Amino acid sequence: MAAPKKGRGAAGGQGKPGRSLALILIAVVALTGGMFLAHQPTPRLGIDLAGGTSITLEAKAEPGQESAINKTNMDTAVEIMNRRVNGLGVSEAEVQTQGNSNIIVNIPKGTNSAQARKQVGTTAKLYFRPVLTVAQGTPTPAPSASPSGKASASPSPKASPPDEASDGDKGEEGEHAGSSTEPSASATAQGRAVTGALKADASPTPKASKSASAEDEAAAAKLQKQFEALDCSTKESRSKAARGGKAEDTVVACSSEGDVKYVLGPAEVSGTEVDSARANFDQQRGMWIVQMEFSDKGSKQFQTITKKLSAQQEPQNQFAIALDGEVVSAPRVNSTLSGSAEISGSFDQASAEDLANVLSYGALPLSFKEQSVTTVTAALGGEQLRAGLISGAIGLALVVIYLVAYYRGLAFIALLSLLVSGILSYTIMALLGPAIGFALNLPAVCGAIVAIGITADSFIVYFERVRDEIREGRTLRPAVERGWPRARRTILVSDFVSFLAAAVLFIVTVGKVQGFAFTLGLTTLLDIVVVFLFTKPLLTIMARKKFFASGHPWSGLDPKRLGAKPPLRRSRRVNAPTEPKEA
């Protein structure tokens, strides 16, 4: 009884290849549906195909500080440049390091290339500015008329709570970071706050006059108007606000998140005076903090400004850390601080490390020299894509001709497998655009074309193993099953080598070559999926059909055409009756 059950189990395992086919077809439908639901029917094109500007920047260190060109500083510079490019409203730009001292910035079409070059090519500007007033990041509504005819305005929402700054040596905690800063209660009150803050800020200066001049009043009125109209809810408006003003000017600015807007006084300390900044976890208080160390000059400047701010009321007891005109943090000052200070608040590890990077970049003795600027027009990109597609079509046509001429009926299985592989590759690349920012550039197209040969090679390996079994005298169904284990090993080894080459190429290169490596690796993995879940099950089903099983001359599995030796089959039939003798 045991032997028949084992035989039925083996037959049943071979008799259900439809499960694998159903699985891969479900995957095809799901990926295709997801592509259209994500409104991404085509892969995102890279700069060489869609057009745009490619800028190569070389890092230059200050004399005597050549060691500043290192991976940490370069990665921080990339983050800053990403912020700048995103501030221009560009969502598909690529900023990445190349080698040890170069940064490549690829900006797609539709962006002002001259403005982008100016943004990414200059050193980051980090300033510590006193906060004069603060409000919600949206434009201030004009006062509305009450039923009695008098103007009135509703109170403004609360702004985001500031962090706290304390002396790192003293370790003072100060007030709880969760308390909030109350902005001015109305548009009129905000205007008075701006004007009053400007006068208060100017009064400690010995040379300042006791009463504001006409020019000062006009400047205050202009600043008040800018502050009320400032909208920090979009990247474009935040970037526009950040581009205005010099270190010695009183400016309006937005927070990095866009939920708060500020009026900031002239810069009291430059970011170049920060010797170091690091994020640490305070075990006693159970919170993340950012610790700063200043130079001798910066220490004196910081002590002066914090002494003045600590005597003020909110929000004028805050100093803003402004990077390229955007406020990344605005901690309160509880006491006079010296050369070392810490910023505490509702930080997690990531936000603390981000702020530490921002503070560190202001001290980096790095500047960047523009090495080259390459402009790729959309027309040129379209020609390159068209040429790549034509090359791919020619390569595919040659593969199809070879398969039909040599494998005949088996070419049907190979072509269906290539079609499934192509659909999977296309839909996945389309979905990876919005998911991870993958862009299909010309080298990536070349990788997809090379993958046609790799995928076809896997089919050929399997077909030849099956044909070898037929040459040895076996019928088709046993040949399909006996040829699979040997073909499977060969396919896995071959694809492993291809994937390993793609992985190494992806790791050691940057830029466009990575697109080739990524596509090659992706299609190699899909080749394994298609061969295991589609080609093998489909050939198992086709082996039951009379056209293939009978060895039709056009099936590609004709024993006579393959040179099978009938005496080999007869010799096996003669040996078969020996089994009853043993019984």
Side-chain angles (χ1 to χ4, degrees):
M1 296 294 292
K5 287 183 179 179
K6 183 176 180 181
R8 285 196 299 270
Q14 297 175 12
K16 297 181 180 179
R19 293 181 178 179
S20 298
L21 291 176
L23 180 62
I24 196 168
L25 291 178
I26 289 173
V28 169
V29 172
L31 289 172
T32 304
M35 181 179 68
F36 286 103
L37 288 176
H39 304 289
Q40 193 71 26
T42 59
R44 189 166 66 91
L45 299 181
I47 186 173
D48 54 351
L49 298 179
T53 304
S54 179
I55 307 171
T56 302
L57 302 172
E58 182 182 8
K60 297 290 185 181
E62 296 296 329
Q65 302 193 40
E66 287 74 14
S67 61
I69 303 179
N70 53 54
K71 185 179 186 303
T72 300
N73 293 347
M74 293 292 289
D75 289 343
T76 305
V78 167
E79 292 179 10
I80 300 300
M81 291 182 186
N82 257 320
R83 286 165 51 91
R84 291 178 173 182
V85 176
N86 289 333
L88 298 175
V90 181
S91 60
E92 299 178 357
E94 299 175 354
V95 183
Q96 54 192 344
T97 58
Q98 184 181 58
N100 296 325
S101 60
N102 292 333
I103 290 179
I104 306 296
V105 183
N106 293 327
I107 303 173
K109 64 178 180 180
T111 305
N112 187 325
S113 59
Q115 183 182 10
R117 289 169 62 182
K118 182 179 179 181
Q119 286 287 309
V120 302
T122 57
T123 305
K125 297 178 181 178
L126 179 69
Y127 295 117
F128 295 81
R129 293 176 178 266
V131 174
L132 302 184
T133 191
V134 61
Q136 188 184 24
T138 54
T140 305
S144 58
S146 63
S148 61
K150 296 181 180 180
S152 63
S154 58
S156 302
K158 291 183 179 181
S160 299
D163 301 320
E164 297 177 356
S166 60
D167 196 311
D169 296 331
K170 299 178 181 179
E172 299 177 4
E173 294 188 19
E175 301 176 20
H176 191 273
S179 61
S180 60
T181 301
E182 183 74 42
S184 306
S186 65
T188 305
Q190 284 182 4
R192 289 197 299 269
V194 172
T195 305
L198 288 175
K199 292 179 179 179
D201 185 65
S203 58
T205 305
K207 296 182 180 179
S209 60
K210 295 182 179 180
S211 60
S213 62
E215 291 79 5
D216 293 336
E217 293 288 351
K222 182 179 179 181
L223 190 67
Q224 172 189 338
K225 186 176 180 180
Q226 290 177 350
F227 181 65
E228 293 176 355
L230 180 59
D231 181 7
C232 298
S233 60
T234 64
K235 291 181 179 180
E236 291 78 8
S237 59
R238 292 199 295 271
S239 178
K240 183 177 179 181
R243 288 196 294 270
K246 301 178 181 179
E248 62 272 16
D249 294 340
T250 300
V251 297
V252 296
C254 298
S255 65
S256 300
E257 295 78 14
D259 55 342
V260 184
K261 59 183 178 181
Y262 301 87
V263 175
L264 305 178
E268 300 286 349
V269 185
S270 171
T272 56
E273 303 301 332
V274 179
D275 273 347
S276 65
R278 60 190 179 276
N280 291 319
F281 185 77
D282 191 319
Q283 297 287 352
Q284 293 182 347
R285 288 179 284 176
M287 60 190 302
W288 282 93
I289 61 174
V290 178
Q291 296 178 319
M292 297 182 294
E293 297 286 342
F294 289 92
S295 65
D296 292 340
K297 178 182 177 182
S299 178
K300 295 177 182 178
Q301 294 175 337
F302 197 65
Q303 186 173 9
T304 300
I305 182 59
T306 54
K307 181 179 181 180
K308 183 171 67 173
L309 294 180
S310 63
Q312 302 292 327
Q313 300 295 321
E314 290 189 7
Q316 295 178 23
N317 66 342
Q318 297 173 234
F319 67 85
I321 302 172
L323 176 67
D324 287 337
E326 283 191 6
V327 178
V328 295
S329 183
R332 283 192 299 261
V333 177
N334 298 319
S335 61
T336 302
L337 306 180
S338 60
S340 62
E342 72 176 33
I343 301 173
S344 61
S346 54
F347 290 122
D348 55 17
Q349 181 177 359
S351 59
E353 290 176 348
D354 287 344
L355 179 57
N357 284 340
V358 167
L359 295 171
S360 296
Y361 190 74
L364 294 184
L366 287 179
S367 60
F368 291 90
K369 178 182 179 182
E370 196 174 88
Q371 275 194 331
S372 64
V373 178
T374 304
T375 301
V376 181
T377 64
L380 179 58
E383 291 178 1
Q384 291 175 333
L385 178 60
R386 188 161 47 252
L389 293 178
I390 292 173
S391 300
I394 293 173
L396 180 60
L398 293 175
V399 170
V400 170
I401 292 172
Y402 171 79
L403 290 173
V404 172
Y406 191 74
Y407 289 106
R408 303 193 177 189
L410 288 176
F412 171 74
I413 298 174
L415 294 180
L416 283 180
S417 301
L418 282 173
L419 178 62
V420 172
S421 179
I423 294 174
L424 289 175
S425 300
Y426 183 88
T427 53
I428 290 176
M429 286 190 290
L431 290 173
L432 287 179
I436 64 172
F438 172 75
L440 188 66
N441 53 26
L442 191 59
V445 174
C446 295
I449 295 172
V450 171
I452 296 174
I454 294 176
T455 305
D457 182 62
S458 298
F459 306 153
I460 291 171
V461 168
Y462 185 29
F463 294 162
E464 286 301 323
R465 291 298 187 187
V466 173
R467 286 153 68 103
D468 285 343
E469 295 295 329
I470 293 176
R471 290 187 183 99
E472 292 179 5
R474 294 180 179 86
T475 56
L476 179 57
R477 292 182 65 179
V480 168
E481 299 306 323
R482 289 179 62 90
W484 171 242
R486 299 170 63 189
R488 179 178 58 201
R489 288 193 296 269
T490 305
I491 292 171
L492 288 175
V493 171
S494 175
D495 283 345
F496 174 76
V497 172
S498 296
F499 183 81
L500 183 62
V504 171
L505 192 63
F506 184 85
I507 293 172
V508 302
T509 59
V510 295
K512 297 177 181 179
V513 180
Q514 281 187 329
F516 172 83
F518 182 86
T519 307
L520 182 61
L522 174 65
T523 51
T524 301
L525 292 177
L526 290 178
D527 174 48
I528 297 176
V529 173
V530 171
V531 170
F532 276 69
L533 298 182
F534 188 82
T535 307
K536 165 60 171 59
L538 184 59
L539 185 56
T540 300
I541 292 175
M542 291 301 172
R544 301 170 185 171
K545 305 300 179 182
K546 183 178 179 181
F547 177 78
F548 288 96
S550 63
H552 191 281
W554 281 96
S555 67
L557 298 169
D558 182 10
K560 293 182 180 180
R561 186 179 182 88
L562 295 176
K565 298 179 180 179
L568 179 60
R569 295 189 178 185
R570 286 197 295 271
S571 63
R572 294 197 175 189
R573 285 197 295 270
V574 170
N575 294 333
T578 59
E579 186 175 353
K581 292 180 180 180
E582 295 177 357

